[in-house]
Amino acid sequence: MGRRAKVAVCTLNQWALDFEGNCRRIIRSIEEAKLNGARFRSGPELEICGYSCEDHFYEGDTLLHSWEVLANLIDHPSSLDIIIDVGMPVMHKNVTYNCRVIFLNRKVLLIRPKIMLCDDGNYRESRWFTPWKKVREVEEYHVPRMIRQITGQETVPFGDAVISTRDTCIGFEICEELWNPMSSHIAMGLDGVELFVNSSGSYMELRKAYVAVDLITLASRKSGGCYLFSNLRGCDGQRVYFNGCSCIGLNGDIVARGSQYDLKDVELVVATIDLEDIRTYRNLLRSRCQVAASSPSYPRVKAEFDLSPNDILGLAAPICQAIKWEYHAPEEEIALGPACWLWDYLRRSGQGGYFLPLSGGVDSASTACIVHSMCRLVVSSVSRGDTQVLSDVRNLVSDQSYVPMDPKELCKRIFFTCYMATENSSDDTKNRAANLAEQVGSYHFNINFMRVVDAVLFVFTSVTGKSPIYGSRGGTPRENLALQNIQARLRMVMAYLFAQLMLWVQNRPGGLLVLGSANVDEALRGYMTKYDCSSADVNPIGGISKGDLKHFLHYAMLKFDLPILKEIVGAPPTAELEPLVGNKIAQTDEQDMGMTYVELGQYGRLRKQLCCGPFSMFCKLTETWSKSCSAEEVAAKVKHFYRCYAINRHKMTVLTPSYHAETYSPDDNRFDLRPFLYNNKWTWQFRAIDNHVKEVKSALTSPRKESGAVPKYSSLSRESSGTYKGGSKGRPGGVEV
């Protein structure tokens, strides 16, 4: 009897509601699996309809078309002589479940509904699906007529069961069930299941790739077995990027893996495993054997099929050995993830390229470098023979004979940048923008729209009889802010004008998508003008911190040979919206904000990751900053942050859709659900902070101080960790615009 089984998992770049394309990619994965000799193929979660259908899951059409695609798959000649596991929504007894459908030789073996749903982060599965509550139970499911005509089956098993082939046993988990502390792979393993199959829709976050890998290795190490993990890839219509990493684990080791970031629509991971290795490993775990002897049984669906062929070739097939997982550094993740996300968005939008207002600062430079990275990935994929990428890029440039050979040349065709100057712009930033554009290869031009600004102000003056002036010239904060905002907002208007018409100028069809370049820290603080250049079609850096972007630019400078980035990183961040002094910048971001970007990152992580309100944040930072700030200084900083946060939260309701990368993102769409109208005085919360400061001061001055009874956060100095000013320059209280 053969012992060696060849199994396949796949990474698919699916698209919500693209039933035609999704079906085509699934069939291609099945064909590749069979070509590689696999006898079992599993795919990602909800691969038939796409994961991000969201409220379309309520529609009967989504369920209907999913069944139509399944019928096509079951009846396809490539689906013979291989067990296939696909994902789709299924309604059973008027309840919709997130399911896996397993079929073999035109027969449905099992419909396995998801038992544990995910509702954290960007996930909202319980809005559309219901978890299956009947553990180790199955019911009869009456299949639709279109399936019945192909399979001849009236009913099929529906529920929590496993599949028993002639040589092994296969169990199923769906995404969150691996993450849940009550994962069912332990119970299934105790009941003799040797292959655990997980179909996932897991998205990337910076520095988080190890989480899934650790869970997979631990799942197979603790109780033995082979763990098959399939994940989605790409942008399927939402802010997240599904990051692949499909892999196969065996007895605590990874034996095969796919890439995390790539432009491939279909990627197969195949492994040959020896089933006897699982049995030997488990038999040596004596305590496991004692528990397994009395474990409850799962319903078994029999499949007259062998995963291990009973022939000489099957016995001689080399088994896969353990490999070491190499993780990307955060800088590499920023270079690759947003670039792949932008490529998916661009090719699926039907537009002809991207337009970016390039200011010469860190943020817009980061966006430009990500687009350049995208072009490098496209050229690399075409050189490797990826026909889908070649077809997509030809459609983008409207030239069916075009073959991209050089990333800079491709950039010139699909990436347009513009330096938008006013009387407050410096030659330094203008030159940095021009040099960067030349090095990445974008189609670049300069404009000075000061006449447009003057025209708008002329209209205001003609109506009101008043002319606002800058604060540096004696104007009030309101005047100063209004004069800055009109420049920022007109930049957005100019960006969309040029984005719509630049391809028309070149006699090419379509338009350009406008890119935003506001980082996650600025969004958290609200340090942006509502409806300025932060308003765009998409923003590849909106989920990335300022600190990470600077590290990324250092990486890109060396990796992509962009020497101008050294100068850009070293320049002080500035919006250039206030008058210059001696042709030099007089306005800097951190001075305007009244806090540093390092402090902003700490505020953001405490607010979101650790769920701190003002008082809790103050208590934690009093300890963290004990060597550099007094309790009064920490209180002032925390209060200032929360005032700014409350005043500006309304801006998050119109935040440009951004690539999700950071766990403290303030994205209002679904990740960070909070009010957008706050009482910015925070009277109760700030009073609690003040009372605590008094207690600290009292403890420091009381006689007990000599006995050593000093609070653990009382080793305070008067030296501040950063410049703090009670107000944000040019940003008065109230609702900031």
Side-chain angles (χ1 to χ4, degrees), residues 532-709:
D532 68 348
C533 279
S534 64
S535 296
D537 293 312
V538 286
N539 181 359
I541 68 166
I544 305 173
S545 71
K546 191 79 162 189
D548 280 337
L549 290 176
K550 287 186 175 182
H551 290 302
F552 161 64
L553 290 184
H554 280 293
Y555 166 84
M557 177 180 66
L558 301 174
K559 181 71 174 179
F560 303 152
D561 189 22
L562 305 172
I564 187 60
L565 293 178
K566 183 177 181 180
E567 184 179 338
I568 291 174
V569 172
T574 175
E576 288 196 327
L577 296 173
E578 294 190 42
L580 303 175
V581 177
N583 201 34
K584 296 296 182 181
I585 296 167
Q587 175 190 32
T588 63
D589 290 353
E590 292 186 340
Q591 181 185 13
D592 263 8
M593 293 189 298
M595 60 190 74
T596 68
Y597 281 106
V598 172
E599 290 170 344
L600 257 178
Q602 290 177 291
Y603 298 145
R605 291 180 179 87
L606 290 171
R607 182 196 69 98
K608 179 65 177 177
Q609 295 176 356
L610 297 185
C611 303
C612 288
F615 180 70
S616 297
M617 183 182 292
F618 161 75
C619 292
K620 290 184 180 295
L621 288 178
T622 302
E623 295 187 42
T624 304
W625 293 346
S626 63
K627 295 182 179 180
S628 58
C629 291
S630 67
E632 295 97 319
E633 288 170 328
V634 175
K637 287 173 176 286
V638 170
K639 289 179 182 179
H640 178 55
F641 166 73
Y642 268 101
R643 286 193 194 98
C644 295
Y645 166 77
I647 290 169
N648 290 288
R649 180 66 193 188
H650 66 98
K651 296 177 183 178
M652 297 304 96
T653 63
V654 294
L655 193 68
T656 295
S658 301
Y659 175 88
H660 177 83
E662 186 55 77
T663 53
Y664 68 88
S665 168
D667 173 28
D668 182 73
N669 174 260
R670 87 166 33 172
F671 187 73
D672 189 42
L673 304 182
R674 304 182 189 237
F676 59 86
L677 179 62
Y678 283 90
N679 180 346
N680 62 69
K681 295 181 177 61
W682 300 93
T683 52
W684 194 283
Q685 295 91 331
F686 287 0
R687 187 183 304 120
I689 292 175
D690 293 337
N691 290 338
H692 202 71
V693 170
K694 292 177 183 177
E695 291 176 6
V696 172
K697 293 177 68 175
S698 176
L700 288 171
T701 58
S702 68
R704 294 168 56 194
K705 177 180 178 182
E706 297 179 1
S707 66

Side-chain angles (χ1 to χ4, degrees), residues 244-264:
C245 292
S246 297
C247 61
I248 298 174
L250 179 68
N251 295 339
D253 293 316
I254 299 295
V255 296
R257 61 157 293 188
S259 57
Q260 183 175 4
Y261 303 107
D262 206 296
L263 302 186
K264 295 177 185 175

Side-chain angles (χ1 to χ4, degrees), residues 3 11 15 33 103 108 182 214 225 296 300 354 362 364 411 435 437 497 500 510 523 547 580 583 613 630 672 683 689:
R3 299 177 300 171
T11 302
W15 190 9
F103 60 93
V108 175
M182 293 293 289
D214 286 354
R300 275 169 160 71
Y354 285 118
V362 165
S364 63
C411 265
N435 288 335
L497 172 64
Q500 286 185 306
L580 303 175
N583 201 34
S630 67
D672 189 42
T683 52
I689 292 175

Side-chain angles (χ1 to χ4, degrees), residues 359-370:
S359 69
V362 165
D363 294 333
S364 63
S366 297
T367 298
C369 290
I370 288 169

Side-chain angles (χ1 to χ4, degrees), residues 6 137 217 306 458 482 635 641:
K6 184 171 281 191
E137 291 186 27
T217 54
D306 295 299
F458 175 79
F641 166 73

Side-chain angles (χ1 to χ4, degrees), residues 75-341:
D75 201 35
H76 197 276
S78 297
S79 299
L80 296 175
D81 298 323
I82 181 172
I83 297 179
I84 298 170
D85 160 38
V86 295
M88 59 179 277
V90 177
M91 181 178 284
H92 177 54
K93 296 182 177 178
N94 302 327
V95 178
T96 302
Y97 298 94
N98 176 348
C99 294
R100 304 304 298 176
V101 181
I102 302 94
F103 60 93
L104 167 67
N105 291 334
R106 295 193 173 94
K107 298 289 184 183
V108 175
L109 299 176
L110 172 67
I111 301 177
R112 201 281 197 177
K114 193 170 185 177
I115 296 173
M116 301 168 184
L117 302 182
C118 187
D119 285 312
D120 52 5
N122 284 289
Y123 295 106
R124 295 290 181 274
E125 291 182 349
S126 63
R127 178 178 173 90
W128 311 293
F129 301 112
T130 302
W132 180 253
K133 297 292 188 180
K134 302 175 183 178
V135 179
R136 296 187 184 88
E137 291 186 27
V138 294
E139 298 177 351
E140 287 189 340
Y141 180 83
H142 291 264
V143 298
R145 184 181 297 111
M146 68 183 83
I147 302 298
R148 189 161 63 243
Q149 291 173 346
I150 298 170
T151 66
Q153 297 168 288
E154 292 286 340
T155 62
V156 298
F158 185 104
D160 185 20
V162 298
I163 291 177
S164 179
T165 66
R166 288 192 289 247
D167 53 356
T168 189
C169 190
I170 308 169
F172 301 88
E173 291 184 325
I174 304 177
C175 198
E176 179 66 14
E177 296 169 28
L178 172 62
W179 274 257
N180 194 281
M182 293 293 289
S183 296
S184 54
H185 59 259
I186 295 296
M188 288 191 293
L190 293 173
D191 191 35
V193 172
E194 295 177 335
L195 274 64
F196 310 109
V197 183
N198 187 302
S199 303
S200 183
S202 179
Y203 59 80
M204 77 78 61
E205 286 179 338
L206 289 173
R207 305 173 179 88
K208 295 292 184 181
Y210 74 92
V211 175
V213 179
D214 286 354
L215 289 170
I216 291 164
T217 54
L218 290 172
S220 62
R221 178 179 297 131
K222 191 170 186 179
S223 189
C226 179
Y227 206 98
L228 287 75
F229 179 81
S230 297
N231 194 23
L232 293 163
R233 167 180 289 144
C235 167
D236 76 340
Q238 259 297 348
R239 292 159 172 80
V240 299
Y241 177 81
F242 297 106
N243 64 325
C245 292
S246 297
C247 61
I248 298 174
L250 179 68
N251 295 339
D253 293 316
I254 299 295
V255 296
R257 61 157 293 188
S259 57
Q260 183 175 4
Y261 303 107
D262 206 296
L263 302 186
K264 295 177 185 175
D265 277 352
V266 178
E267 183 182 28
L268 206 70
V269 177
V270 180
T272 300
I273 60 169
D274 192 333
L275 298 175
E276 288 299 321
D277 287 343
I278 299 173
R279 294 156 190 167
T280 301
Y281 183 93
R282 286 179 170 177
N283 195 40
L284 291 172
L285 301 175
R286 300 314 301 160
S287 62
R288 176 206 167 274
C289 293
Q290 295 176 24
V291 177
S294 59
S295 67
S297 297
Y298 278 82
R300 275 169 160 71
V301 177
K302 291 186 178 180
E304 297 300 319
F305 190 74
D306 295 299
L307 288 192
S308 52
N310 190 15
D311 54 34
I312 298 299
L313 290 177
L315 292 170
I319 61 173
C320 293
Q321 303 299 318
I323 61 175
K324 181 181 179 181
W325 196 292
E326 299 290 342
Y327 295 99
H328 292 291
E331 298 81 10
E332 292 178 291
E333 292 192 274
I334 296 171
L336 297 171
C340 294
W341 184 77

